[in-house]
Amino acid sequence: MNVTELRATARRHLGPHFTRKDTWQSEFPVFVRGEGSYLIDTEGRRHLDGLAGLFCVNMGHGRADIAKAAAEQAGTLAYASNWGSAHPPSIEAARIIADLAPGDLGTTFFVNSGSEAVETALKFVRQYHRSQGAPERTKIISREMAYHGTTMGALSVTGLPKIKEPFGPLLPGVRHVPNTLGFTGDCGPADQLDCVRAIEAVILEEGPETVAAVFAEPVQNGRGALVPPEGYWPALRALCDKYGILLVSDEVICSFGRLGHFFGHGLTGVVPDLITFAKGSTSGYAPLGGVIVREQLVTELYDSPKGGVFTHGATWGGHPVSTAVAVANISAMRDEKVPEHVLAEGPKLHAALESLKDAHRCVKDVRGTGFFYAIELMADRDGGRELTDQESLTVLREVLPESFRRTGVILRGDDRGATMLMISPPLVADTDVLDELLHGVDGMLTDVEKAIQP
């Protein structure tokens, strides 16, 4: 089929994810190949993948070694479950992850996606507390505008009203507290910050004996790459320890090198009780997610008279092909020192994005770290004019999509709390790729300014 026929068939038979009808009726690209930091469409045009797929293609496209690992595993053992048995690739993937994870986070429960990872963490913390004689600990605290997934439990923890509204009522007992927007760097004693004190206030309001867990990302995606202020995560750890609450670090985006470390601990300095992961664990070469749990918690659940088994599982959880891909991907990431590359190049990327702020009146703020950034937009920074609702729609639905096509750089327009441009290149992007990325962003900002008057 030619590209016209492919699009027509997709429109008729393929259900798109988070895609508006008008977008699905447009001349959307159909990708047929990937090479390094680029996607190639049916017409042979190369597109710089500035979002690394969906924050996941950390090792880049077209890695023959990762593809070979998948093919060899499929030809040897295509499927076996982890229900009362095991197989070498899931065992090896769990071992590698345990070696890289902080503290005693040594047990990995594999699932298929980030949403399922959050769902699994929710179920684990509830069953854990029940096994320890505290069945009343069922409530969850997460942060406003945070995205934690789309399955019903994970969606309940998510703090984005717009994507929750069509599916209510959701899981009861979830409270959302202020995020760290506006708090950066050294803001003074962390336990005195409003964004921390609000968490303790909610704990006391709900009753500490009813709260099961606090969920937070090391750098929050929703609302635009929110890097926490100094001391924030130690303050979270202290609050959870004070009230017997489990701390869940949602690292579906942040783990496996995105911030320059294998896990968020490298940024926060804090060992959580559970870590959720997905995307970068396979660089998108196969579906995989998981929850890493402190070994002490696993032992206490299994040894409890009310425990004995974590009552949860999935047919594809720890799939042989997916975990073989994870082993190849994580091993290559480690051996090629990819997180170290991000640590070296991340500050340069950040500085270059900040320089675009000076060159464009439409840039309100630049946030992020490592290879994970958000540019928040406005109509005129010098005049203090924000975008109107209609201008925001114009930017997100017309200007930026056309800019992506014109520049050949794929990024993501984001409307979660503000009008933003999300940037998350493959972690293997070299200086030439990053220069092309920055040139594309510069052009996009110029297009926004041409479309929106001061």
Side-chain angles (χ1 to χ4, degrees), residues 84-391:
S85 62
H87 47 76
S90 66
I91 295 169
E92 180 63 5
R95 183 196 66 79
I96 290 175
I97 290 169
D99 286 346
L100 295 171
D104 68 336
L105 282 140
T107 300
T108 294
F109 194 94
F110 288 113
V111 289
N112 308 296
S113 69
S115 293
E116 287 184 53
V118 171
E119 204 82 21
T120 302
L122 277 170
K123 293 179 75 174
F124 183 90
V125 299
R126 279 192 164 192
Q127 188 179 352
Y128 171 79
H129 287 300
R130 180 177 290 272
S131 76
Q132 302 305 299
E136 69 280 1
R137 284 191 179 269
T138 62
K139 296 175 183 176
I140 304 296
I141 295 172
S142 65
R143 300 185 294 186
E144 294 170 355
M145 304 306 296
Y147 177 79
H148 292 289
T150 55
T151 52
M152 292 297 276
L155 188 62
S156 302
V157 180
T158 289
L160 294 163
K162 187 181 295 185
I163 69 169
K164 293 158 69 85
E165 189 276 331
F167 307 105
L170 297 174
L171 190 71
V174 179
R175 291 289 302 272
H176 295 98
V177 296
N179 56 47
T180 61
L181 181 66
F183 296 94
T184 58
D186 185 358
C187 299
D191 61 356
Q192 297 303 308
L193 297 178
D194 290 344
C195 58
V196 174
R197 296 177 69 177
I199 299 173
E200 186 164 26
V202 167
I203 291 171
L204 295 175
E205 182 180 329
E206 293 294 329
E209 72 284 355
T210 70
V211 181
V214 171
F215 279 69
E217 300 157 272
V219 174
Q220 182 172 315
N221 177 30
R223 197 52 183 89
L226 302 180
V227 180
E230 292 178 19
Y232 177 83
W233 270 82
L236 285 187
R237 178 76 272 179
L239 277 178
C240 288
D241 291 343
K242 179 179 179 180
Y243 294 111
I245 297 167
L246 297 180
L247 179 57
V248 182
S249 182
D250 183 356
E251 304 189 17
V252 168
I253 287 177
C254 294
S255 58
F256 296 104
R258 180 59 51 192
L259 307 182
H261 310 277
F262 275 100
F263 292 102
H265 172 267
L267 177 73
T268 68
V270 165
V271 177
D273 296 302
L274 297 87
I275 293 174
T276 60
F277 69 87
K279 299 178 183 290
S281 63
T282 64
S283 289
Y285 283 72
L288 187 71
V291 179
I292 319 170
V293 188
R294 291 180 55 218
E295 293 179 56
Q296 176 185 340
L297 301 180
V298 175
T299 299
E300 289 172 350
L301 187 152
Y302 276 91
D303 289 349
S304 166
K306 295 184 178 181
V309 58
F310 178 32
T311 316
H312 182 59
T315 300
W316 307 128
H319 191 279
V321 175
S322 293
T323 48
V325 166
V327 170
N329 174 69
I330 298 169
S331 297
M333 188 178 295
R334 179 194 59 204
D335 296 346
E336 295 171 26
K337 301 187 183 302
V338 171
E340 290 87 340
H341 171 70
V342 173
L343 282 180
E345 296 299 322
K348 302 174 189 175
L349 177 58
H350 195 173
L353 292 171
E354 283 284 357
S355 71
L356 294 178
K357 182 177 179 179
D358 297 331
H360 294 281
R361 60 173 169 80
C362 66
V363 178
K364 181 176 183 178
D365 196 13
V366 174
R367 296 187 294 273
T369 189
F371 274 20
F372 182 26
Y373 294 94
I375 297 179
E376 185 171 339
L377 303 174
M378 63 188 303
D380 181 20
R381 184 181 64 255
D382 296 333
R385 190 173 83 78
E386 299 286 352
L387 294 166
T388 66
D389 290 346
Q390 183 55 54
E391 287 172 335

